[in-house]
Amino acid sequence: MSFRHPDRDQIRIEDVLSALGNPLRLAVVRVLDAGGEHNCSSVLGVLGVTSKSTMTHHWRVLRDSGVIWQHPSGRENLLTLRREDLDTRYPGLLKAIMAGALGDEAAQAVSAQAR
Amino acid sequence: MSFRHPDRDQIRIEDVLSALGNPLRLAVVRVLDAGGEHNCSSVLGVLGVTSKSTMTHHWRVLRDSGVIWQHPSGRENLLTLRREDLDTRYPGLLKAIMAGALGDEAAQAVSAQAR
């Protein structure tokens, strides 16, 4: 089964922001941003998520918004961040979001330690 | 009536992205980003939106996510983009989003002309 993806020029910024404006989807993109090839199971493993059915929805949102490629590979689906497309359409956006997510995490760790 | 707003360090990137991941809210922020003081009515006027009740929800999402200040001023509410807070927490994010929205608009105008 092969999936539909928007072309680069069909990507819309509100869809990208909406896709990334969810903790689990943002976490997925951070895993993909770190590099390497990932299938759905390996991303779920990194995130400690076990419900495949919940993720079906999230994969679709990420795919339909143009944030990831999702392609069949054997019995699994291979996930890739559409970095080149996003960087071309929205220079600096992905970098700012990834840095922001890292900053949030550091800030939360500090506030947790202070308790 | 005065509104609750998150402190700068309570802002979370997924909430900011989710708030801006909506065409109407993104349009509001673009109006505020262009500068000047705005009350709710004047923003709605610029956008050509007449339903105040719909916007009550959108103001709340923008306020709760830390994207705007909303303060009573006479019989109206004054809206301000929390640019300094956002730029401090997420350097480059707002700029990339505003440039991206402008780019989308230009791309859509070109494709409309080509039809």
Side-chain angles (χ1 to χ4, degrees):
Chain A
M1 173 176 154
S2 136
F3 298 104
R4 285 186 56 212
H5 296 85
D7 293 337
R8 180 187 287 184
D9 64 358
Q10 291 174 324
I11 298 175
R12 294 290 168 264
I13 194 155
E14 56 264 32
D15 298 333
V16 172
L17 299 177
S18 175
L20 297 179
N22 167 281
L24 196 50
R25 291 195 296 265
L26 185 58
V28 167
V29 171
R30 294 180 70 192
V31 171
L32 299 181
D33 179 64
E37 287 204 330
H38 292 273
N39 57 37
C40 298
S41 308
S42 80
V43 173
L44 299 188
V46 172
L47 299 177
V49 175
T50 50
S51 164
K52 278 203 177 191
S53 55
T54 306
M55 292 310 294
T56 303
H57 162 72
H58 292 305
W59 302 137
R60 186 172 57 73
V61 173
L62 288 168
R63 201 171 67 227
D64 287 352
S65 61
V67 173
I68 65 167
W69 297 114
Q70 184 178 14
H71 289 299
S73 167
R75 295 178 60 184
E76 271 278 8
N77 287 302
L78 209 60
L79 306 175
T80 326
L81 183 60
R82 293 180 65 172
R83 186 192 308 276
E84 200 187 322
D85 289 331
L86 293 173
D87 283 350
T88 303
R89 286 292 307 275
Y90 310 117
L93 179 65
L94 196 61
K95 195 176 155 198
I97 292 174
M98 292 299 108
L102 193 67
D104 272 15
E105 203 172 62
Q108 282 171 292
V110 168
S111 84
Q113 272 187 334
R115 268 186 228 126
Chain B
M1 172 177 155
S2 138
F3 298 104
R4 284 186 55 210
H5 297 84
D7 293 337
R8 180 186 287 183
D9 65 357
Q10 292 174 324
I11 298 175
R12 293 291 168 264
I13 194 155
E14 57 263 33
D15 298 333
V16 172
L17 299 177
S18 176
L20 297 179
N22 167 282
L24 197 50
R25 291 195 295 266
L26 184 59
V28 166
V29 170
R30 294 181 70 194
V31 171
L32 299 180
D33 179 64
E37 287 203 329
H38 292 273
N39 57 38
C40 298
S41 308
S42 80
V43 173
L44 299 187
V46 172
L47 299 177
V49 176
T50 50
S51 164
K52 279 203 176 189
S53 55
T54 306
M55 292 310 295
T56 303
H57 162 71
H58 291 306
W59 303 138
R60 186 173 56 73
V61 174
L62 288 169
R63 201 172 65 226
D64 287 352
S65 60
V67 172
I68 65 167
W69 297 115
Q70 184 178 13
H71 289 300
S73 166
R75 295 177 59 184
E76 272 277 8
N77 287 302
L78 209 62
L79 306 175
T80 325
L81 183 61
R82 294 180 65 170
R83 186 192 308 276
E84 200 188 322
D85 288 332
L86 293 173
D87 283 350
T88 304
R89 286 293 307 276
Y90 310 118
L93 179 65
L94 196 60
K95 196 177 155 198
I97 293 175
M98 292 299 108
L102 193 67
D104 272 14
E105 203 172 60
Q108 281 170 294
V110 168
S111 84
Q113 272 187 334
R115 270 186 226 124

